[in-house]
Amino acid sequence: MMQKDKEQYNVKQIQPFLAEGAEEHFFQIMQGYNRMMAYYRCAIMEVETKFNVLNEEFSLQHDRNPISGIKSRLKSLPSIREKMDRKGLEFNLQNVEKELNDVAGVRVICSFVEDVYLLADALLKQDDITLLEKKDYIAHPKENGYRSLHLIVTVPIFLEHEKRIMKVEIQLRTIAMDFWASLEHQICYKKDFEFTEIMAKELYECAQLSADLDTRMDNLRSQVDLQK
Ligand code: 0O2
């Protein structure tokens, strides 16, 4: 192991906790993990760029931006571990790449509902993108009221000596959908708290309000577009 690598992976700090001879093994696992996460970061960059390009082109044609913001995240190691355990899968890097679809996540916040589908269609038309799975929680909201369009796609990343095909989870949603989902996530998503029926109803009604808001804003935009 090179000195530089030891420093990079903080092996010195961890050394007292490692069994005799385990240092090299630990280092190799960390190296593999860091490489895999770097590839996922590249895939996120590719997908973000594709959406930024579409946003630019659309704003030239229609004089407005369909994308209000893009938030990306890499799943943390504890979350990856938890999900592998939950699915009853052995935790190793090959399995993570093969079995998990959401290590890399890109969330695209759109202005209007129409923009969600427009952007999804434009992305899926690109010949280096392959759709693996689509869940339309806008047409079919979840029981709690959650709405978003989810796509699992593969995108190639071009490295010095190879091309790798990486999976990315894309969530497209409007500002109103994101408002509800972000707050619901903070309040209750995956928390071990038994929601009362009244609270669940209240949350669902808030989701309905956000859906109404989307419809009304869409209608206003259509009226303005007609007058152009
Ligand atoms: P986080 O913290 O956002 O990363 P799976 O992906 O296999 O666990 P499933 O049901 O097949 O589960 O995936 P699905 O339905 O496509 O949803 C995955 C992601 O969508 C979640 O990721 C959330 O980001 C979002 N999501 C789904 N349902 C809800 C919901 O009811 N409320 C909110 N706020 N977000 C939701 P993670 O990894 O679970 O969480």
Side-chain angles (χ1 to χ4, degrees), residues 73 75 79 82-83 86-87 99-102 107 133 135 137 142-148 150-152 169 171 173 177-178 180-186 188-190:
R73 68 113 182 85
K75 214 172 183 65
S79 292
E82 185 275 321
K83 194 159 186 176
R86 183 157 41 89
K87 288 179 168 243
E99 304 289 345
L100 298 194
N101 293 332
D102 64 342
R107 186 171 291 158
E133 194 181 305
K135 286 188 198 164
Y137 293 124
K142 284 178 74 170
E143 212 181 329
N144 60 0
Y146 175 78
R147 294 181 307 138
S148 281
H150 290 193
L151 309 173
I152 308 291
E169 183 194 65
Q171 298 180 351
R173 48 171 82 149
M177 292 172 200
D178 190 53
W180 183 92
S182 301
L183 298 190
E184 188 263 0
H185 196 277
Q186 285 188 36
C188 60
Y189 192 57
K190 288 186 174 172

Side-chain angles (χ1 to χ4, degrees), residues 87-148:
K87 288 179 168 243
L89 297 164
E90 192 191 330
F91 182 71
N92 61 52
L93 297 183
Q94 287 84 353
N95 266 358
V96 168
E97 272 208 74
K98 186 163 158 254
E99 304 289 345
L100 298 194
N101 293 332
D102 64 342
V103 176
V106 175
R107 186 171 291 158
V108 185
I109 317 297
C110 304
S111 304
F112 297 96
V113 179
E114 189 186 55
D115 299 334
V116 165
Y117 292 106
L118 190 141
L119 287 164
D121 288 348
L123 179 85
L124 295 176
K125 262 192 230 145
Q126 300 186 6
D127 59 13
D128 55 350
I129 290 280
T130 303
L131 177 68
L132 298 183
E133 194 181 305
K134 182 178 189 171
K135 286 188 198 164
D136 191 345
Y137 293 124
I138 299 175
H140 308 286
K142 284 178 74 170
E143 212 181 329
N144 60 0
Y146 175 78
R147 294 181 307 138
S148 281

